[in-house]
Amino acid sequence: LFLVPFYTKGQMLVERFDGPEVTSSNNWTGDLADFIISDDHWLELVGDPEKKSSRIAIPITYSKNMEWKFDVKLSFTDGNSSNSNHIRFELLSDELSIVRLKQTYYVQIGSNNETISLRRLRETEDNASTLISEQFDPLKRESVALSIRVILKDGKDWSLYAKEKDEDEYILMGTCERELEGELDFIESAIDCRYSKVKRGHFVDNVEIFGDASQDEPEEPEEPDYSPVSLESIDF
């Protein structure tokens, strides 16, 4: 039993990248040869000099209320992140659907302007639409470790949070309303690293994806059932 992954109610995916292989805990597919598990148990990009991006993905059951949490590290010795060197975490893509147009919602960590953003890319578009974007000062450094959290409610209300990994409280990067199109059943979540021939330093860990149950409102405590007491007389 200790070898079986433990999932709480509403938990769709837990990935700690404990290794030894990328697929040891979950069935990731894609550019598996472009990633390794680091000594401190992070998914680490090794890349391919002939490519500009490497991506691994995993199928997930869709729910109108979802939450994604994950950690990233960017560590560059020759500058910080940029439009060509950053991490994209694809929250959902409906490319597994048979008849619908592909659309992908993803978080981009890093850019020329040191931003964290939520974006949507349709199959027919050359450039993604930016739904939320906020400059985050830690991205100005050459090395940074962050925790990211995204909440989707009712299939349309998005909230994006970020914090430095060792901090206690998340900072709200922004909210937006953008309703998902079509009736989705199964989606993909994916890790997509963008890089140049000479720049590497992309790490991901602690991926958690939740469904409806993770966002249930806490139940109100029940009122204690006390029987009424009457004091008719007191004898001294």
Side-chain angles (χ1 to χ4, degrees), residues 13 15 17 22 28-31 35 42-45 53-58 70-72 86-91 106-107 109 188-194 202-207 209:
L13 176 73
E15 179 60 81
F17 292 113
V22 175
W28 296 91
T29 60
D31 301 316
F35 295 89
W42 286 72
L43 177 72
E44 178 181 357
L45 171 74
S53 66
S54 296
R55 177 181 181 272
I56 59 171
I58 194 163
F70 55 94
D71 296 337
V72 299
H86 57 263
I87 294 174
R88 296 180 181 182
F89 192 97
E90 296 181 12
L91 307 171
Y106 65 91
V107 177
I109 302 99
E188 274 191 343
S189 286
I191 297 165
D192 183 359
C193 294
R194 302 298 172 107
H202 306 66
F203 301 83
V204 179
D205 199 5
N206 297 321
V207 178
I209 302 176

Side-chain angles (χ1 to χ4, degrees), residues 3-109:
L3 300 178
V4 179
F6 179 75
Y7 295 86
T8 63
K9 183 179 180 182
Q11 218 163 25
M12 297 178 177
L13 176 73
V14 175
E15 179 60 81
R16 305 299 184 202
F17 292 113
D18 290 329
E21 304 298 331
V22 175
T23 55
S24 292
S25 297
N26 293 287
N27 189 29
W28 296 91
T29 60
D31 301 316
L32 296 172
D34 296 347
F35 295 89
I36 62 171
I37 304 298
S38 69
D39 292 338
D40 54 351
H41 302 294
W42 286 72
L43 177 72
E44 178 181 357
L45 171 74
V46 294
D48 183 327
E50 302 303 317
K51 295 180 181 179
K52 295 182 179 179
S53 66
S54 296
R55 177 181 181 272
I56 59 171
I58 194 163
I60 298 291
T61 302
Y62 172 69
S63 169
K64 286 188 175 182
N65 299 292
M66 296 189 69
E67 179 177 354
W68 297 260
K69 296 172 69 176
F70 55 94
D71 296 337
V72 299
K73 284 197 300 187
L74 295 169
S75 183
F76 303 131
T77 58
D78 55 349
N80 48 14
S81 66
S82 67
N83 290 348
S84 58
N85 285 279
H86 57 263
I87 294 174
R88 296 180 181 182
F89 192 97
E90 296 181 12
L91 307 171
L92 62 87
S93 172
D94 69 345
E95 64 182 358
L96 299 183
S97 304
I98 298 175
V99 297
R100 289 183 291 274
L101 184 70
K102 177 183 175 181
Q103 58 179 345
T104 301
Y105 286 76
Y106 65 91
V107 177
Q108 179 171 317
I109 302 99

Side-chain angles (χ1 to χ4, degrees), residues 22-236:
V22 175
T23 55
S24 292
S25 297
N26 293 287
N27 189 29
W28 296 91
T29 60
D31 301 316
L32 296 172
D34 296 347
F35 295 89
I36 62 171
I37 304 298
S38 69
D39 292 338
D40 54 351
H41 302 294
W42 286 72
L43 177 72
E44 178 181 357
L45 171 74
V46 294
D48 183 327
E50 302 303 317
K51 295 180 181 179
K52 295 182 179 179
S53 66
S54 296
R55 177 181 181 272
I56 59 171
I58 194 163
I60 298 291
T61 302
Y62 172 69
S63 169
K64 286 188 175 182
N65 299 292
M66 296 189 69
E67 179 177 354
W68 297 260
K69 296 172 69 176
F70 55 94
D71 296 337
V72 299
K73 284 197 300 187
L74 295 169
S75 183
F76 303 131
T77 58
D78 55 349
N80 48 14
S81 66
S82 67
N83 290 348
S84 58
N85 285 279
H86 57 263
I87 294 174
R88 296 180 181 182
F89 192 97
E90 296 181 12
L91 307 171
L92 62 87
S93 172
D94 69 345
E95 64 182 358
L96 299 183
S97 304
I98 298 175
V99 297
R100 289 183 291 274
L101 184 70
K102 177 183 175 181
Q103 58 179 345
T104 301
Y105 286 76
Y106 65 91
V107 177
Q108 179 171 317
I109 302 99
S111 69
N112 289 352
N113 297 319
E114 296 89 31
T115 58
I116 296 176
S117 55
L118 173 65
R119 307 185 182 202
R120 184 197 67 181
L121 180 63
R122 286 177 171 173
E123 191 174 20
T124 55
E125 297 173 336
D126 294 327
N127 298 304
S129 300
T130 301
L131 307 180
I132 299 170
S133 183
E134 186 70 23
Q135 191 174 62
F136 198 53
D137 285 345
L139 287 169
K140 296 178 180 179
R141 302 198 295 262
E142 291 183 353
S143 181
V144 62
L146 305 176
S147 296
I148 309 296
R149 183 185 183 196
V150 182
I151 295 176
L152 170 65
K153 291 185 177 180
D154 299 324
K156 62 179 181 179
D157 295 320
W158 299 86
S159 300
L160 172 61
Y161 301 84
K163 69 181 181 72
E164 291 197 71
K165 192 173 184 305
D166 294 332
E167 295 294 323
D168 293 329
E169 300 295 332
Y170 282 93
I171 299 171
L172 179 63
M173 298 287 102
T175 62
C176 72
E177 182 177 325
R178 184 60 60 92
E179 188 166 6
L180 294 172
E181 300 172 0
E183 293 295 326
L184 305 180
D185 295 318
F186 297 98
I187 57 175
E188 274 191 343
S189 286
I191 297 165
D192 183 359
C193 294
R194 302 298 172 107
Y195 56 93
S196 62
K197 289 185 177 181
V198 296
K199 184 174 285 191
R200 304 286 192 277
H202 306 66
F203 301 83
V204 179
D205 199 5
N206 297 321
V207 178
E208 298 183 41
I209 302 176
F210 302 87
D212 286 304
S214 67
Q215 299 185 57
D216 288 344
E217 293 294 329
E219 294 181 1
E220 293 293 331
E222 293 182 3
E223 292 293 331
D225 185 16
Y226 294 122
S227 300
V229 177
S230 61
L231 298 179
E232 295 183 355
S233 66
I234 300 178
D235 295 329
F236 291 95

